[in-house]
Amino acid sequence: MNLAEGVQLVSLIILSVMMLGAALGVVLFESIVYSAFTLGAVFISIAGLYILLNADFVSAAQILVYVGAVNVLILFAIMLVNKTEEFKPLPRRWIRKVSTAFVSLALFTLLATMVLQTNWPVDVTLTPPASSVETIGIHFFTDYLLPFELASILLLMALVGAVVLARRETIIGEETAIVGEEPAPVLELPERPKEPIA
């Protein structure tokens, strides 16, 4: 093992440990803000793994889309929705726990099967492409044109749905009740009292 391979192996171990630790933080932290920050650490670790695999474009897209857009959007949503809600214990909660454990076990089994049945050795005789961006673009507009267009339509539908849901809150209070029927109650959470910063 030469120096470059040693650095790559150490980087792989550090990024893997960082990703697993951050993933545990996402599900174990009680504060949702801390969970959102550790989720960003998971995304950054995955981007580092992409760099180790010479997938520079995918790594840049990972940081721009997931860290710069999705994770920041989650943090903004948490900080802007300044609501408090008292959660009541759900009846038959054990059914949900058993269902969650079953689904998690099924996903783990599926991933483990995929890892064990995948042919991991790489043919070293193949020449890597000069630019992964050009190769991905060619595949997007030739072999995967239909999934690419379906994904764009799905994102457009999600954008329109988000706009409709965001405008719906201001419309609820302005709705007029039908004669003879009681108006629908306005669903609002109590506002958290604002305290001065010491």
Side-chain angles (χ1 to χ4, degrees):
M1 178 183 297
N2 53 25
L3 180 61
E5 292 177 350
V7 171
Q8 188 173 10
L9 178 61
V10 172
S11 302
L12 175 65
I13 294 173
I14 292 175
L15 288 172
S16 301
V17 172
M18 178 180 170
M19 182 179 64
L20 293 176
L24 289 175
V26 172
V27 296
L28 295 179
F29 273 127
E30 293 184 359
S31 173
I32 192 171
V33 177
Y34 294 157
S35 297
F37 276 113
T38 50
L39 181 63
V42 173
F43 291 152
I44 293 174
S45 304
I46 295 175
L49 293 178
Y50 285 143
I51 291 177
L52 293 179
L53 295 173
N54 294 326
D56 49 354
F57 174 74
V58 180
S59 175
Q62 171 80 14
I63 293 178
L64 290 175
V65 175
Y66 286 95
V67 181
V70 176
N71 198 228
V72 172
L73 181 63
I74 292 173
L75 287 172
F76 270 101
I78 293 171
M79 294 179 181
L80 290 177
V81 181
N82 190 22
K83 304 291 185 180
T84 59
E85 184 179 4
E86 296 181 359
F87 293 98
K88 298 179 181 178
L90 297 173
R92 299 178 180 177
R93 190 178 178 183
W94 64 272
I95 298 179
R96 297 170 183 263
K97 290 184 176 180
V98 171
S99 302
T100 304
F102 177 75
V103 172
S104 301
L105 182 62
L107 288 175
F108 178 77
T109 305
L110 180 64
L111 291 175
T113 305
M114 185 269 296
V115 169
L116 294 176
Q117 293 186 353
T118 300
N119 187 19
W120 293 106
V122 179
D123 189 2
V124 294
T125 59
L126 296 176
T127 304
S131 174
S132 60
V133 179
E134 183 179 355
T135 307
I136 291 175
I138 292 173
H139 282 296
F140 270 160
F141 288 99
T142 54
D143 301 331
Y144 302 101
L145 180 60
L146 181 60
F148 180 71
E149 293 298 332
L150 290 177
S152 63
I153 293 173
L154 182 63
L155 290 174
L156 179 62
M157 293 171 62
L159 177 63
V160 174
V163 172
V164 171
L165 290 176
R167 291 175 56 85
R168 191 175 179 182
E169 186 176 357
T170 59
I171 296 173
I172 289 177
E174 299 174 357
E175 287 181 346
T176 56
I178 301 174
V179 177
E181 294 184 359
E182 295 183 358
V186 179
L187 303 177
E188 290 184 354
L189 295 174
E191 191 76 19
R192 178 184 299 172
K194 297 181 180 179
E195 300 178 354
I197 301 175

